[in-house]
Amino acid sequence: MDVLVVGAGLAGLHTARLLAQRQRHVMVVDRRRSLSTGIRTTGIFVRRTLDGFDLPDHLLGPGVRDVLLYPPSRRAPIRLTSDRDEYRVADMAAVYEHAHRAAESAGARVLLGVRFDRTSKGLARLVGAEPVKARFIVGADGARSRVASDLGLDVNRRWLVGAEIVHPVASGIATPAFHCVLDPRVAPGYLGWVIDDGRHAHVGIAGYPEAMRTGIRHLLDTFAVDAPGRTAATGPVERRGGPIPVGGVLRRLACPAGLLVGDAAGAVSPLTAGGLDPCLRMAELAASVADDYLRTGDERVLRRYDGNALRSRFRGRLLLRRLFAGIRSPAAAEAAIALLRGRAGRALATRILFGDGSFPDVTSRLADAAPIHM
Ligand SMILES: Cc1cc2nc3c(=O)[nH]c(=O)nc-3n(C[C@H](O)[C@H](O)[C@H](O)COP(=O)(O)OP(=O)(O)OC[C@H]3O[C@@H](n4cnc5c(N)ncnc54)[C@H](O)[C@@H]3O)c2cc1C
């Protein structure tokens, strides 16, 4: 086999598909038995991703153009309205199913209920399947990547944790909107959110785990009681959650035995915590580099997959993350929202929330290409 992809999240399935399309012999394993369970994302796709990747329309909810930013008091939110659809929330179970089928149609073999354990004596040891011999391993196994530590590549060390509840809502009652609450009592270092697109509401919080003393589940339930913009559930309530790496893209992402992609590579915007766009963007580069390396056997090819180059374009976002992390009291959060009310503040908030810069382009050649079909 040419490539073993560990992890059938968005990063793994997209990389597998692209490699299989290049006639590589690819196998994907995921420890989950079904890709519609254990979902760890809200599934908000930003305009830049919607413009750059041809996600099938039926997988996406209605466009969201309004963002409301609340201080801890929840009073007098700042409303930012775009003249374009800025966000669409995907049906993630359907997105994974679509990406699964696309990888298989391209020729990749996808095994669910199979966990990668380690490599030894040139074999990848799996739990739930026989060991396999692969020329190259793609670690797409999420924020706590086992592949990264097994191959001696960099591992994520700085985290937020996020949790949310999701439920259907009565359609057409509310205008689609994204409510963001800056309140370090419930979401220390990040935000509480409600996004309601008229079909589903997602109510969530994320923050630094060490500052969430009463536990994230308790904080989420407290936040959800009177979260702004929340409408009543009209169907089953699902819970989601997981770690979010926010230390920026890792430096050492590739070696002759394999490479990392998606959360495993730390490829999440440290500021917005968005990781879906980076999954798709990085998969393009990962597949191209892995294919070139397998074709030529030239280790210099792997230098194109350089975390340092990407990191340098993250400096501003890492700085803003530190400022965000520094908002530790309700008074500081009230003051931060007050700053955003001014002209310069609104311009900054608009740039962060509606801008194109959540994750750098990994290559200009790929970024300039026509929309990429998923
Ligand atoms: C609560 C929450 C909300 C979020 N909301 C958004 C959002 O709205 N928009 C956005 O852009 N980003 C969001 N993010 C971040 C985004 O979801 C992630 O960056 C993205 O989903 C990462 O995809 P991935 O494919 O790299 O990893 P994952 O989706 O985590 O996939 C990794 C896969 O690897 C499998 N795996 C792990 N270990 C092994 C092993 N040893 N063997 C086999 N399989 C293994 C797992 O089962 C999993 O399926 C959110 C994150 C959280 C936690």
Side-chain angles (χ1 to χ4, degrees):
M1 181 203 316
D2 293 324
V3 186
L4 172 67
V5 177
V6 181
L10 204 57
L13 289 170
H14 197 46
T15 310
R17 174 188 175 173
L18 295 169
L19 282 164
Q21 283 172 338
R22 290 171 155 93
Q23 312 306 322
R24 290 287 159 205
H25 184 195
V26 182
M27 182 164 120
V28 185
V29 296
D30 197 292
R31 63 185 177 193
R32 287 191 285 161
R33 291 188 182 283
S34 155
L35 298 184
S36 55
T37 57
I39 293 173
R40 293 175 158 217
T41 185
T42 308
I44 303 171
F45 284 85
V46 296
R47 180 171 42 78
R48 184 167 178 246
T49 325
L50 299 168
D51 289 349
F53 297 88
D54 201 6
L55 287 147
D57 202 61
H58 68 277
L59 304 177
L60 300 161
V64 178
R65 298 177 171 206
D66 281 311
V67 177
L68 291 97
L69 295 173
Y70 297 76
S73 65
R74 319 285 201 261
R75 281 200 290 270
I78 302 170
R79 179 185 281 269
L80 302 169
T81 302
S82 174
D83 51 12
R84 302 177 282 196
D85 289 346
E86 293 291 343
Y87 310 104
R88 293 180 74 181
V89 187
D91 172 349
M92 284 308 292
V95 167
Y96 292 128
E97 187 45 40
H98 173 81
H100 180 179
R101 269 187 278 117
E104 284 190 331
S105 318
R109 204 169 144 222
V110 182
L111 299 184
L112 300 182
V114 174
R115 180 166 62 82
F116 169 82
D117 183 29
R118 68 200 146 89
T119 50
S120 80
K121 299 185 183 141
L123 292 175
R125 309 274 167 185
L126 305 171
V127 178
E130 292 301 311
V132 292
K133 193 169 178 61
R135 291 173 63 198
F136 202 70
I137 299 183
V138 171
D141 50 342
R144 298 182 198 280
S145 168
R146 189 156 181 108
V147 172
S149 48
D150 187 79
L151 299 186
L153 297 170
D154 281 355
V155 295
N156 292 304
R157 296 189 193 284
R158 298 182 56 205
W159 316 92
L160 299 175
V161 288
E164 70 166 24
I165 52 178
V166 190
H167 56 73
V169 294
S171 65
I173 288 187
T175 311
F178 190 6
H179 304 259
C180 300
V181 181
L182 188 65
D183 185 347
R185 294 169 300 185
V186 287
Y190 192 65
L191 296 167
W193 66 87
V194 176
I195 188 160
D196 180 338
D197 64 4
R199 290 189 194 162
H200 287 89
H202 297 246
V203 182
I205 57 168
Y208 288 104
E210 59 280 6
M212 292 177 148
R213 289 202 192 88
T214 52
I216 192 164
R217 192 178 172 121
H218 171 77
L219 288 170
L220 173 59
D221 291 346
T222 309
F223 175 69
V225 169
D226 59 354
R230 183 169 182 201
T231 43
T234 56
V237 178
E238 176 194 339
R239 281 187 183 264
R240 299 180 181 178
I244 309 172
V246 287
V249 179
L250 300 173
R251 290 189 163 81
R252 204 169 118 73
L253 295 178
C255 66
L259 58 70
L260 307 176
V261 69
D263 274 15
V268 174
S269 164
L271 184 60
T272 62
L276 295 172
D277 182 82
C279 279
L280 297 174
R281 233 164 263 284
M282 266 192 114
E284 305 287 329
L285 183 61
S288 143
V289 168
D291 184 48
D292 284 352
Y293 172 60
L294 290 169
R295 189 166 34 77
T296 62
D298 183 350
E299 290 184 17
R300 284 174 302 182
V301 167
L302 299 170
R303 288 190 210 144
R304 273 173 53 212
Y305 203 70
D306 177 12
N308 279 308
L310 279 173
R311 261 190 99 77
S312 63
R313 288 144 80 185
F314 262 115
R315 262 185 222 122
R317 295 174 190 97
L318 285 166
L319 178 70
L320 285 169
R321 160 112 309 274
R322 277 201 287 279
L323 288 177
F324 215 158
I327 301 172
R328 299 228 169 115
S329 67
E334 293 283 347
I337 293 288
L339 278 176
L340 294 178
R341 288 185 198 281
R343 217 160 134 199
R346 280 184 77 91
L348 175 68
T350 304
R351 237 179 88 199
I352 292 170
L353 289 160
F354 300 156
D356 284 336
S358 73
F359 194 79
D361 282 323
V362 286
T363 69
S364 49
R365 187 176 58 80
L366 289 167
D368 291 345
I372 295 155
H373 295 275
M374 264 206 59

